[in-house]
Amino acid sequence: SGNQRLARAIESLLDEMARLFHLGLSVRNRTAEMQKEHHLLVQALVAGDAERAESLATDEILGAQKMVMDAIFSRAELLDLNITDLSPSRLHRPQSRPSPAIVGFRAGS
């Protein structure tokens, strides 16, 4: 009864976001920091403090985005990494040759 094409597009986007997020965690583990952020967010929601909750959620999103971008630009081999295959074993090993499906993350582009 839903739009299957839209559902597949969203599923694909969420999958790519998860891959990039785990890439960021492989370079800088923010687990304890994120747990504290989540705890503060839940407290704000329970207290009904919408402004604080919005501010905390925004900060969490920006922190995760920075973590991912720092990960990508901190290691030269990640600039040519094929993000469609980010299994845990590949995150710690540079890709020997670029494949045609490489995402074009390049410093200065």
Side-chain angles (χ1 to χ4, degrees):
S1 75
N3 184 332
Q4 292 301 314
R5 185 174 178 194
L6 178 59
R8 284 190 306 272
I10 291 171
E11 180 180 19
S12 177
L13 179 61
L14 291 173
D15 184 52
E16 293 300 325
M17 289 171 56
R19 290 171 190 267
L20 288 169
F21 182 74
H22 288 287
L23 170 66
L25 285 176
S26 75
V27 174
R28 178 174 171 246
N29 189 343
R30 292 185 64 238
T31 304
E33 196 178 331
M34 289 186 300
Q35 286 175 340
K36 182 179 178 182
E37 293 168 350
H38 281 59
H39 180 73
L40 292 172
L41 178 58
V42 169
Q43 284 181 328
L45 291 169
V46 169
D49 188 345
E51 287 182 25
R52 175 95 172 120
E54 179 183 15
S55 174
L56 290 165
T58 299
D59 290 348
E60 282 191 54
I61 291 166
L62 294 174
Q65 181 183 36
K66 182 178 181 341
M67 176 188 68
V68 169
M69 296 308 293
D70 287 350
I72 290 170
F73 292 114
S74 70
R75 293 173 39 194
E77 69 270 15
L78 293 181
L79 295 176
D80 290 325
L81 185 66
N82 179 349
I83 66 169
T84 60
D85 183 19
L86 289 183
S87 58
S89 62
R90 298 217 16 154
L91 293 177
H92 302 288
R93 205 172 51 223
Q95 186 172 333
S96 58
R97 284 181 293 174
S99 72
I102 287 177
V103 174
F105 288 118
R106 289 225 175 255
S109 60

